[in-house]
Amino acid sequence: MTDARVRAPGRVNLVGDHTDYQDGYCLPVAIDREVTIGWRPRRDGRVVVRSGGLPGAVDLAADGSGDPGDGWGRTVAAVLAVLAARGRPPVGFDADVSSTVPVGAGLSSSAAFEVACALAAAAAAHFDIGGTDLALAMQEAEQRATGVPCGVMDQMASVHGRAGHALLLDCRALTVEPVPLPASVAVAVVHSGLPRRLEHSEYAARRSACEAAAARLGLAALRDATPDLVASDPVARHVVSENARVLAAAEALRRGDGDAFGALMLDSHRSLRDDLRVSTPELDLLVDLAMEHGALGARLTGAGFGGCVVLLAPHDSAAAVARAAAERYHALTGLEPMAFAVRAVDGAGVLQGS
Ligand code: GLA
């Protein structure tokens, strides 16, 4: 049915979680799991979106008004409303969505969906939006659709991905520095088999705790705090120590030092577990098992409270390490993990041949 196709990747964050909403640093990778949307214009001003051949469709006005239902239609409505507020002409289109990003895994399936929807909507109306403006608009759409006060990391990673590179994001300056991933290492992911729990309310609670800590210190954000200022506040301490780890990890990547990078991932996991308290026993177990089976480093990735761990391993063994950790985890817990290696890919765009 389609005239054109767009794609937007999910992401895995190598280090730097719960820092983006405090103007901090993070180091995500856009991955070879993505949302693709085939679309073609409609003349009646409606936006009609179907997903993966499933029955039913979301049918909205081009500015997002109408009844979105209570599933992913809310995201479509938010994307259209945010773009309308930025001046997208009210042009309708049909869209057919498919995705290889696991949902609820902490791999930014929703950011990939938002960015892909926005690219289709923009292309249909010949509306020009891209780069960081697109990422900021889709962060607003995510907040509007879910009510979760997320930061901008996920949308920035989906938009700015670079094949073979991690992305050093400065969430205050909104700059992106691609840092090459050394050929000697590879990244893999193991899903714990448990969806993220309590994520929305706990995420908002961590964000408010950080804002309160910054306010007590008279700072705009914890990005500006020094380690001694936050020594007795675990939540703030996580943000400050995590920002330092991101900068050290980017430096380790530049040197091609996988061991140093792996040690920083482990430190990050401990800080997320003990200081910020966003881990779970299952994620802790997976990190331990990844290390026992030969990873250089491993940590929970994304918001926490379930979802995935990310691991770094010598290039030729990453997939095997992830599989071995997953098998042992299944034997110990009876849960159904999912393990796969990921490649760093380019950010969202129009698919060739469209
Ligand atoms: C979620 C949010 C991001 C970020 C991470 C934690 O993925 O959408 O903005 O805060 O959690 O690092």
Side-chain angles (χ1 to χ4, degrees):
M1 76 146 217
T2 10
D3 291 335
R5 291 190 330 137
V6 294
R7 57 169 280 279
R11 64 99 188 94
V12 67
N13 190 24
L14 299 182
V15 64
D17 274 308
H18 291 270
T19 48
D20 60 350
Y21 54 74
Q22 284 295 309
D23 284 0
Y25 300 102
C26 43
L27 194 67
V29 172
I31 58 173
D32 53 340
R33 295 282 179 141
E34 59 187 27
V35 173
T36 51
I37 297 183
W39 65 271
R40 72 170 173 211
R42 285 174 70 105
R43 299 213 169 146
D44 61 359
R46 306 297 297 174
V47 173
V48 179
V49 185
R50 293 183 169 75
S51 175
L54 294 175
V58 171
D59 183 347
L60 297 164
D63 65 358
S65 57
D67 176 10
D70 49 12
W72 50 270
R74 293 172 65 96
T75 305
V76 179
V79 168
L80 293 172
V82 163
L83 291 179
R86 282 166 167 75
R88 189 185 87 93
V91 177
F93 59 98
D94 280 309
D96 201 346
V97 181
S98 49
S99 176
T100 56
V101 192
V103 173
L107 300 177
S108 295
S109 58
S110 63
F113 181 48
E114 288 145 15
V115 171
C117 270
L119 285 179
H126 302 289
F127 178 64
D128 193 20
I129 186 167
T132 298
D133 287 343
L134 173 60
L136 288 168
M138 292 306 103
Q139 175 196 17
E140 190 183 324
E142 170 80 16
Q143 293 182 347
R144 189 174 171 134
T146 64
V148 178
C150 67
V152 77
M153 165 170 70
D154 306 346
Q155 292 78 11
M156 287 289 275
S158 186
V159 166
H160 289 291
R162 172 91 69 94
H165 291 68
L167 308 168
L168 175 57
L169 302 187
D170 177 333
C171 298
R172 171 172 279 169
L174 294 174
T175 54
V176 184
E177 182 191 338
V179 184
L181 289 163
S184 55
V185 294
V187 177
V189 164
V190 187
H191 189 324
S192 61
L194 288 174
R196 291 167 299 168
R197 285 165 304 202
L198 297 175
E199 189 223 347
H200 290 184
S201 56
E202 294 285 342
Y203 182 92
R206 296 306 182 282
R207 184 170 176 153
S208 337
C210 288
E211 283 164 2
R216 273 196 304 277
L217 294 167
L219 300 171
L222 291 174
R223 155 79 171 260
D224 302 316
T226 54
D228 38 318
L229 278 179
V230 295
S232 59
D233 176 344
V235 166
R237 197 162 65 207
H238 165 75
V239 177
V240 173
S241 67
E242 187 80 345
N243 277 330
R245 279 188 289 274
V246 172
L247 297 179
E251 208 34 62
L253 274 193
R254 292 187 197 102
R255 292 195 310 273
D257 189 342
D259 290 317
F261 194 95
L264 288 160
M265 291 174 86
L266 283 175
D267 287 347
S268 169
H269 185 76
R270 285 187 205 107
S271 178
L272 288 159
R273 182 191 64 197
D274 300 337
D275 277 357
L276 200 63
R277 294 188 298 109
V278 298
S279 190
T280 64
E282 293 82 12
L283 294 170
D284 297 343
L285 175 62
L286 270 177
V287 167
D288 290 345
L289 293 173
M291 296 311 291
E292 276 169 33
H293 288 89
L296 300 168
R299 61 189 284 282
L300 73 82
T301 185
F305 309 106
C308 289
V309 301
V310 59
L311 65 87
L312 188 80
H315 189 274
D316 295 333
S317 66
V321 169
R323 265 198 314 273
E327 275 166 25
R328 185 81 190 116
Y329 174 84
H330 173 68
L332 289 170
T333 63
L335 293 166
E336 298 291 344
M338 185 170 55
F340 50 94
V342 293
R343 259 180 332 106
V345 302
D346 284 335
V350 173
L351 275 166
Q352 293 301 321
S354 290

